[in-house]
């Protein structure tokens, strides 16, 4: 079976500091793969490298194609889409324009209207605020907008960086429900999370990243029962 | 190269330059004179632009103010050129102080544009004042006289220029190596960093601006009395950018680079003037500026760092000497253990529609370690910035040692005894670890600009260096004292920040996510260090995401979520609090 | 100063303000999309005027050779970059964009020029010739340093201005030009004579601004440009290429600068180096408006125009001193207003 995305011994350095060291991750079509780990472990760095915003060494293959020399925009055109930790919304543009721009990379512009309605169905809050500037949204709404904008791109592979960051438990629950439901749309997901429990409950496969290296990997259902992980990340209760 | 080798080399260079008039023609010497005059401006720019990061297009205007001032005094009113020098310096520095006070708070490119604007305005002014000869300028400026002898020939004024350039260089090098110079070098790390060290960023910038103008004034004075003629064309916008070019070609932030850059540009220009007519006899004049601009653009595209850093990187580096022991700096008296130290009362902060900190109250008592924890995005860092004055409160109050500190500028809070570290490490990566730690002691030292220039600050500096070394030993970094801070791994960089904070002799140490990105053993070392600090009567407030790290270390915990305090108490109590579990372990149970 | 004089000065001021406004809007557009403060827009305006003057005389304007030279250089650089990256497949497209189109325009103008076609055609020819200049300069000068800090880009832009002034002297010579007004019709408003040219200027400024507004608000490309200026990383993550957005911004801004050049040519005598002051005054206007707002830039530019007009009445020789001196207090005021925002940015 051929993987959708393979990261093979990826390393990323900021100057002389190596933030990610020889990390290998693989995602099969239809899978949700999660990378968990503490703050500063290099999770976000890895995501930025995967989408091509940061230079990295090692090999990346997507749909069998070598991604060396393929820039961010071309990766987006091929169906990869990152919802970054910092959201990177267009704050001085309204919600609808933000969503519309999500579809910028797609050839079939005719379907944009319909997809916009789909996103509004999924996140009714966004519909209420469609004329409001993105910068005036609350944290949860911003995350919905970032997710919705990514869905407008009709991605094959969605890279989600800390989707629960700074959100209320209720909204976190909602976001994770949405993530789980994307599977039925045929979207594969690489999910980076601090909220280890929620991430492992949603994912098929998990990797643990610590100080730039993978220290553990396996089926999410197994990791969630691992006593060492429970002590470190899942809370000792 | 060692300091001694540098000194010997510099002496040889000065002696060689002193012999130049014996070897070269008058024309070449006059080129040298121009190099010296331009170099003064470029040295000032190296300080201003290269070190402090303030790009000024307007230095030519300062040169012009000085040149016109001395021309007006000596040629039109018959005063001595030396009186002209005084007038030139006073007037130029005054103009710089006013313009600087008005514009130096501006953001980077706005500031540069403003220098372009007033540079132009002053340039236009010269050409439109009747009393200053309009566009034809002022001629018949008398030469400088020393002891009755007029410096008429280019070989004569050459020595005066050489002397002034050498003295300026020495003074500026001394200055960069002083307390004030360190603060200046830190400016590029951003206002939040330097103000957190107790440095008044604006005053530091203003002083640098006036010093650069002072050097420009010396240049303008020499120029006026050497060429014996001034006209607006010598001080226009084109000249302003040429000075900038000199400083940048020589090397970003390198003082000697100013001299090198001035030489390269002057001789290059001369060569272009000589050779262009051979290539294109009809259009030489027009192509000169084109060729010049093109060369500059290519330079900026491919070699932005400049000539001197390029060469310096290829020379053997000096083996620095460990600071000798010296009398310790005065220390604060730490408050009695258990006395109330910090009191946060109903603190409030909004960002647009987001309430980042919502009516949070808590206390910290002297001698304890308090952990402020909460999930990412809970408002911990905002709370932290409110405490240190990096952000202003929208409501509520914060008291430190019984005095309200909300609304006080960051540097005042820093000097009151709160020292901080940063979540995203803010060190000056190219400065040595020792220099970074010395920055922390800024508020405890007194030496100013003049003492620094004249090297009268050595006793105090020795004490400061001994203190910095002591903090490095305390944090286990002594062996890295002379490494560039940016070359250390993250864990060590965090320790450097703590050493820098300790060098300020704080009462309260506030640490922003000190364990983030650390490996397990590094975390344990950090915890050991913090326990030692507590044993030394220091109070610590740490903002942390990592609950396990905090639990084993702190005396009390405050938990935030969504900008509000949701729990407070002993570690065991907090751990058992269901609201904390909910916040921490996520809603998906 | 009587009311009549004030009215005349006001009309003059609004006319030159409208011209600065076009350049100012272009400056804001380009800065927000590419982070380059393109100081030479004023030069482009002046070059357009000089081009039109040459066409009026049935001569081949110097711009033809300038465009050809820039096109060859830009294509050579692009081709080299593509070959190095092993992207030979993109060569034909690059050739079309950087070589064929600009040179075709240049040659067409060269062929048509001796026939002295009617004025509207000449206007279009002058504009068509000036529009490729900035995108080509972008490729040659700014693309290799696209990630440089704003300040380095600014310094490069200033250096580029000096290069262009030198080239301007080379290609156009030292003589000043003044073209025929677009119309000789005039009218009287509030006792002040208002020439048809002034009316044209104001109409053109308003119409172009409106067109830009519609384009930004209602087209995907316009939204992509806004997105790029709002958040570059975000835009890239949506597949918007900053370099392509930049090129579009260069073309649009060049059209604005070109039109302002066409409009100013009958009002002021234009020399090869007149552009600097036009550009800088537009800049002052843009900065008054805060460098991020289009209406702000337009209003700021009109303020500059009025200021200049009244200043020249007070003292014609000191009018530029006054205009640029006024910038300093304005910047100070700006910095006082924007302190709050800066703090939040650091969070």
């Amino acid at each position: 079976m051929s993987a959708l995305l393979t990261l093979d011994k990826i390393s990323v350095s900021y100057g002389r500091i190596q933030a990610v060291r020889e990390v290998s991750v693989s995602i099969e079509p239809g899978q949700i793969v999660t990378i968990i780990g503490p703050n500063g472990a290099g999770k976000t760095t890895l995501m930025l490298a995967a989408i091509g915003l940061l230079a990295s060494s090692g090999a990346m293959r997507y749909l069998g194609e070598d991604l060396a020399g393929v820039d961010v925009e071309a990766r987006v055109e091929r169906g990869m889409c990152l919802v970054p930790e910092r959201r990177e919304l267009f704050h001085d543009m309204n919600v609808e324009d933000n969503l519309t721009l999500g579809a910028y990379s797609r050839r079939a512009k005719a379907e944009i209207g319909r997809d916009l309605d789909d996103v509004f169905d999924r996140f009714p809050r966004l519909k209420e605020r469609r004329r409001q500037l993105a910068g005036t949204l609350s944290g949860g709404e911003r995350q919905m907008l970032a997710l919705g904008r990514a869905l407008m791109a009709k991605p094959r592979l969605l890279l989600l960086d800390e989707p629960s960051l700074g959100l209320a438990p209720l909204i976190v629950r909602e976001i994770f429900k949405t993530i789980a439901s994307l599977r039925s749309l045929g979207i594969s997901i690489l999910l980076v999370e601090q909220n280890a429990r929620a991430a492992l409950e949603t994912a098929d496969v998990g990797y643990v990243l610590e100080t730039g290296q993978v220290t553990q990997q396996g089926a999410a259902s197994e990791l969630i029962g691992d006593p060492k992980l429970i002590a470190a990340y899942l809370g000792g209760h | 190269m060692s300091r001694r080798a540098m000194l010997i080399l510099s002496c040889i260079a000065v002696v060689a330059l002193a012999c130049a008039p014996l070897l070269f023609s008058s024309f070449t010497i006059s080129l040298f004179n121009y190099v010296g005059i331009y170099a003064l401006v470029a040295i000032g720019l190296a300080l201003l632009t290269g070190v402090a990061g303030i790009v000024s297009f307007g230095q030519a205007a300062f040169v012009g103010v000085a040149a016109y001032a001395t021309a007006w005094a000596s040629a039109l009113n018959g005063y001595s050129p030396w009186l002209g020098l005084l007038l030139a310096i006073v007037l130029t520095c005054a103009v710089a102080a006013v313009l600087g006070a008005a514009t130096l708070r501006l953001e980077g490119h706005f500031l540069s544009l403003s220098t372009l604007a007033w540079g132009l305005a002053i340039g236009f002014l010269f050409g439109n004042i009747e009393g200053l000869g309009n566009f034809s300028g002022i001629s018949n400026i008398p030469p400088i006289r020393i002891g009755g002898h007029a410096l008429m020939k280019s070989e004569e004024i050459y020595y005066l220029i050489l002397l002034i350039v050498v003295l300026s260089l020495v003074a500026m090098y001394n200055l960069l190596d002083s307390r004030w110079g360190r603060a200046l070098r830190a400016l590029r790390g951003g206002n939040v960093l330097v103000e957190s060290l107790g440095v008044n960023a604006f005053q530091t910038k203003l002083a640098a601006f006036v010093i650069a103008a002072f050097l420009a004034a010396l240049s303008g004075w020499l120029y006026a009395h050497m060429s014996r003629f001034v006209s607006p064309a010598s001080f226009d916008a084109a000249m302003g950018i040429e000075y900038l070019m000199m400083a940048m070609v020589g090397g970003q932030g390198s003082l000697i680079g100013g001299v090198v850059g001035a030489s390269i540009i002057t001789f290059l220009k001369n060569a272009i003037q000589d050779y262009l007519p051979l290539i294109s006899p009809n259009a030489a004049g027009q192509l000169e500026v084109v060729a010049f601009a093109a060369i500059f653009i290519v330079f900026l595209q491919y070699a932005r760092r400049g000539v001197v850093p390029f060469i310096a990187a290829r020379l053997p580096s000096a083996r620095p000497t460990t600071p000798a022991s010296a009398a310790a700096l005065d220390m604060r008296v730490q408050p009695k253990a258990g006395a109330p130290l910090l009191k946060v009362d109903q603190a409030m902060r909004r960002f647009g529609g987001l309430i980042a900190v919502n009516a949070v109250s808590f206390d910290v008592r002297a001698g304890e370690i308090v952990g402020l924890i909460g999930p990412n995005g809970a408002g911990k860092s905002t709370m932290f910035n409110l405490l240190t004055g990096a952000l202003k409160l929208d409501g509520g109050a914060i008291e430190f040692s019984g005095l309200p500190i909300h609304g006080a500028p960051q540097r005042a809070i820093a000097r009151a005894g709160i020292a901080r570290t940063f979540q995203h490490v803010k060190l000056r990566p190219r400065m040595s670890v020792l220099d970074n730690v010395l920055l922390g002691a800024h508020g405890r030292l007194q030496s100013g600009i003049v003492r620094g220039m004249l090297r009268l600050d050595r006793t105090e500096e020795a004490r400061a260096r001994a203190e910095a070394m002591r903090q490095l030993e305390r944090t286990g970094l002594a062996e890295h004292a002379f490494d560039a801070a940016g070359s250390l791994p993250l864990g060590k960089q965090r320790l450097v920040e703590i050493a820098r904070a300790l060098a300020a002799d704080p009462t309260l140490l506030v640490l922003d996510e000190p364990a983030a990105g650390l490996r397990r053993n590094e975390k344990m070392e950090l915890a050991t260090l913090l326990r030692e600090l507590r044993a030394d009567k220091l109070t610590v407030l740490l903002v942390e995401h990592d609950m396990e790290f905090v639990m084993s270390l702190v005396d009390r915990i405050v938990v935030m979520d969504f900008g509000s305090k949701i729990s407070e108490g002993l570690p065991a109590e907090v751990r058992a609090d269901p609201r904390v579990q909910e916040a921490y372990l996520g809603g998906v149970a | 100063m009587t009311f009549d004089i004030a009215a005349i000065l006001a009309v003059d001021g609004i006319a030159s303000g409208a011209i600065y406004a076009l350049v100012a809007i272009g400056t804001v557009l380009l800065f927000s999309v590419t982070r380059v403060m393109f100081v030479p827009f004023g030069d482009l305006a002046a070059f357009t005027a000089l081009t039109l003057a040459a066409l009026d005389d049935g001569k081949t304007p110097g711009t033809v050779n300038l465009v050809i030279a820039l096109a060859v250089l830009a294509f050579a650089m692009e081709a080299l970059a593509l070959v190095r990256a092993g992207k030979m497949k993109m060569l034909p497209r690059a050739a079309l964009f950087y070589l064929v189109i600009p040179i075709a325009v240049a040659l067409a103008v060269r062929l048509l020029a001796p026939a002295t076609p009617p004025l509207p055609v000449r206007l279009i020819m002058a504009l068509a010739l000036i529009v490729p200049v900035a995108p080509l300069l972008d490729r040659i000068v700014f693309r290799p340093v696209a990630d440089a800090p704003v300040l380095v880009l600014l310094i490069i832009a200033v250096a580029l201005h000096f290069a262009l002034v030198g080239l301007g002297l080379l290609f156009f010579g030292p003589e000043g030009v003044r073209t025929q007004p677009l119309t000789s019709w005039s009218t009287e408003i509030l006792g002040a004579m208002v020439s048809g040219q002034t009316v044209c200027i104001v109409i053109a400024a308003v119409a172009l601004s409106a067109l830009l507004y519609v384009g930004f608000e209602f087209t995907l490309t316009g939204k992509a440009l806004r997105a790029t200026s709002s958040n570059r990383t975000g835009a890239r993550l949506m597949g918007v290429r900053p370099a392509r957005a930049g090129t579009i911004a260069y073309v649009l801004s060049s059209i604005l600068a070109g039109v302002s050049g066409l409009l100013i040519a009958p009002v002021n005598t234009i020399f090869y180096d007149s552009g600097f002051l036009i550009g800088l005054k537009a800049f002052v206007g843009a900065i008054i408006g805060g460098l991020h707002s289009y209406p702000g830039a337009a209003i700021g530019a009109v303020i500059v125009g009025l200021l200049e007009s009244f200043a020249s009445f007070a003292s014609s020789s000191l009018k530029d001193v006054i205009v640029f001196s006024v910038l300093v207090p304005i910047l100070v005021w700006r910095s006082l207003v924007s302190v709050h925002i800066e703090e939040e940015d650091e969070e």
Side-chain angles (χ1 to χ4, degrees), chain B residues 483-495:
Chain B
D483 296 344
S487 70
L488 299 184
L490 181 66
K492 295 251 191 289
Q493 293 199 12
R494 288 204 183 279
L495 289 177

Side-chain angles (χ1 to χ4, degrees), chain B residues 510-524:
Chain B
V510 269
L511 309 175
D512 196 354
E513 302 223 9
L518 297 196
R519 295 171 210 181
R520 231 166 256 263
N521 59 332
E522 289 175 327
K523 280 186 194 175
M524 267 142 72

